[in-house]
Structures are given as C-alpha cells and as structure tokens.
Amino acid sequence: MKKPLVFIVLLCVFNCKTTLENTKTKNVEMKTIESIVIAKGNLYGSGAEGIDAQNRMITNQNDWQGLMNQMNSVNNVSHGFEETTIDFSQYTIIAIFDKVKGSGGHRLELAITSNPENTIVNITRVAPKGNSTSVITQPYHILKIAKRTLPIKFINTL
C-alpha cells in the first residue's frame, strides 16, 4: 500500500516541477513597439460610412487613400489627421474600427508590443462612465509603425 502512495507522490512532484520549468521557458520578453498616432476619435455618420468593426493593416497608398475616402464620405475627418502622406516602404498603418455605438464617450486604446514570433496589437475598448451624449458614434484609432517582418496579431483586452 505504501509503495503505490509513494509512487503517486513522486509522480506529482516531478510533474509539478516539469510544469514550472516549462512555464519559465515560455515566458518570452515582450518589447514595446514605437507607434505614431495618425488619428483617433469617432465617426459621426451613424454608420453611413459603411465601415464595419475591423482590425486592419494598410501597406500601400491605394488602400490608405480608399480608407480615407470612405471615412470622409459623410464628414471630412481626414483634415484632422496628423498626416495623410505615408511612406509605405518604411511604415505600416494599423487602423482599428469599433462597431457603431448608440452613444458618445466610447474610445479605443492601442498598445503595440512584440515577441520573437509576432507583433501584437492590444486593443482596449473604453466605455463611458456615467452619463454620455445621445449621439451615434463609431470609435476608431489609426497609427503607423515601422515596417516589420513579423506577423501582426490583434488581441482584444478589456
């Protein structure tokens, strides 16, 4: 009776040690990626711009111009952008659009990091606290990062 019990205890101890060692080797260093905000705010066209909730990478001038045209289809929002001429040989645009909201005060916050395998865009959706305006909005956040060879993954955080 004692031998099986000793065996089970040893098995548990060995298994726990192996799990801890695997956890240590899987903790990879995350590096913050510098980004430049092009624009962030809300569209006020009640969804008439036809932009679905999306996480988008833009790597060429045609796609960038198409997005700006679509965003400007109801209200001219690109006049408030920090820049509209992008050197796509050096930069990639990250454009995040939330779904259309029934009130104001919503916003998106982005944090970009990388590990040896991926560039990670962490998206936090921030809702208003307390009273908010009664206007239909669609939050967006657009930024540029230096062109990278790693795949880009989008992660929604709360």
Side-chain angles (χ1 to χ4, degrees), residues 1-135:
M1 178 76 175
K2 288 185 180 184
K3 285 185 181 182
L5 184 61
V6 171
F7 177 73
I8 291 173
V9 169
L10 286 176
L11 184 62
C12 289
V13 169
F14 177 74
N15 195 20
C16 290
K17 182 178 176 186
T18 303
T19 301
L20 286 173
E21 288 172 359
N22 287 341
T23 302
K24 287 179 185 176
T25 59
K26 288 183 182 179
N27 287 340
V28 294
E29 185 177 336
M30 299 296 284
K31 295 181 183 177
T32 300
I33 301 300
E34 182 180 340
S35 62
I36 298 168
V37 175
I38 302 293
K40 69 187 260 187
N42 284 280
L43 299 174
Y44 293 98
S46 300
E49 297 89 354
I51 300 173
D52 294 329
Q54 61 185 282
N55 306 326
R56 187 169 176 184
M57 291 183 337
I58 300 171
T59 59
N60 63 69
Q61 186 62 40
N62 287 339
D63 290 346
W64 175 233
Q65 189 62 52
L67 177 63
M68 286 191 296
N69 291 343
Q70 192 173 10
M71 291 178 73
N72 290 334
S73 66
V74 176
N75 298 299
N76 185 359
V77 294
S78 69
H79 74 279
F81 287 10
E82 294 296 322
E83 60 184 295
T84 55
T85 304
I86 308 296
D87 179 357
F88 285 100
S89 68
Q90 299 291 317
Y91 295 99
T92 297
I93 296 288
I94 304 292
I96 310 297
F97 292 87
D98 204 349
K99 64 184 179 179
V100 174
K101 305 288 188 178
S103 65
H106 296 270
R107 71 180 194 277
L108 298 171
E109 295 296 332
L110 306 181
I112 302 179
T113 57
S114 74
N115 60 35
E117 297 174 0
N118 298 298
T119 299
I120 301 161
V121 179
N122 290 292
I123 306 161
T124 303
R125 287 166 171 78
V126 181
K129 293 182 177 150
N131 295 333
S132 62
T133 59
S134 296
V135 62

